[in-house]
Amino acid sequence: MRGNLQTDICHLSVLLFCETGAATRMRILLTLLCAAVVAAAGSTRRRSKRHSIRNTIYEIKNMVQTTQVHINKVRGQLSVFPQIEVSTPSIEGLTSISLELGLLEKELQNPFTNIVSQVQTDVSSLEGRVRSLAQIMDCPVQSRPSGEAGDNQFPESQLYLTLIKVQVYMEKLLLKVDKLKVC
């Protein structure tokens, strides 16, 4: 489409150039040049936004994979727990992903141990990146969950459960990476 616009502008300028005086020709050429620049800028802006979205999705996928590695390291440092099955919310789009990552990050705020600080940082950064992508795509996002993590009588088992939830959510997110393209 862009090639056709430039061809049309060239044909129009040749026609106008041949049938008008020198001063008018100069004004017409400047007007056509301005129109071509504006058309090219609009096209570049759209390409730039698509490129930014594509790069951000790629970065999010890398962040998810890095978080999985950090979770596995932490799980290796904890006592062995029986296999636990957890359910995580469905992944609908950027709005729900941002909210769920905020909730998981809040759960990772554990006053009893510093062992999950890297995973918490990963999840927080990931939530910020998803929130940024949502804003680029004009998606509504809720404010970050606030408050402090709940007190727990069994901190190590709660920590392990939370890590499993984060790990399962990361696995689901990688499988449904196409949901990063919708609100």
Side-chain angles (χ1 to χ4, degrees):
M1 185 80 180
R2 191 169 154 229
N4 292 341
L5 177 62
Q6 287 177 340
T7 304
D8 291 344
I9 289 173
C10 287
H11 287 278
L12 182 61
S13 64
V14 168
L15 288 173
L16 291 172
F17 195 75
C18 293
E19 297 178 12
T20 58
T24 305
R25 284 185 225 150
M26 189 58 100
R27 277 189 233 121
I28 291 171
L29 284 176
L30 285 174
T31 303
L32 291 173
L33 180 63
C34 288
V37 168
V38 168
S43 157
T44 302
R45 215 174 298 126
R46 283 188 297 277
R47 257 187 278 128
S48 177
K49 185 175 179 178
R50 279 195 308 267
H51 183 69
S52 176
I53 289 170
R54 194 173 328 131
N55 281 347
T56 303
I57 290 172
Y58 179 77
E59 290 169 5
I60 289 171
K61 286 172 29 180
N62 285 338
M63 292 171 80
V64 168
Q65 292 168 336
T66 301
T67 303
Q68 288 178 313
V69 169
H70 292 151
I71 290 170
N72 287 333
K73 283 182 181 178
V74 171
R75 285 183 61 192
Q77 295 173 358
L78 295 174
S79 302
V80 178
F81 284 89
Q83 193 67 10
I84 299 173
E85 291 208 22
V86 295
S87 63
T88 57
S90 63
I91 296 176
E92 305 290 326
L94 290 169
T95 303
S96 68
I97 294 169
S98 176
L99 177 64
E100 186 58 27
L101 288 172
L103 293 170
L104 289 171
E105 192 265 334
K106 185 178 167 192
E107 278 187 55
L108 286 166
Q109 295 173 358
N110 191 324
F112 300 105
T113 181
N114 213 13
I115 197 169
V116 294
S117 63
Q118 182 59 58
V119 175
Q120 180 185 356
T121 301
D122 291 347
V123 172
S124 180
S125 297
L126 184 57
E127 191 274 339
R129 205 69 186 124
V130 168
R131 181 176 290 276
S132 172
L133 179 59
Q135 290 171 343
I136 291 171
M137 295 177 60
D138 297 323
C139 298
V141 286
Q142 299 175 0
S143 58
R144 290 185 166 116
S146 60
E148 295 192 17
D151 202 15
N152 190 343
Q153 292 179 329
F154 306 103
E156 194 168 316
S157 60
Q158 181 62 40
L159 178 63
Y160 190 79
L161 180 63
T162 301
L163 283 172
I164 296 293
K165 284 170 61 175
V166 174
Q167 186 173 31
V168 169
Y169 195 78
M170 296 297 132
E171 290 167 1
K172 285 173 71 172
L173 190 52
L174 281 178
L175 291 174
K176 296 188 174 200
V177 74
D178 59 313
K179 295 294 184 177
L180 292 170
K181 297 176 184 175
V182 295
C183 290

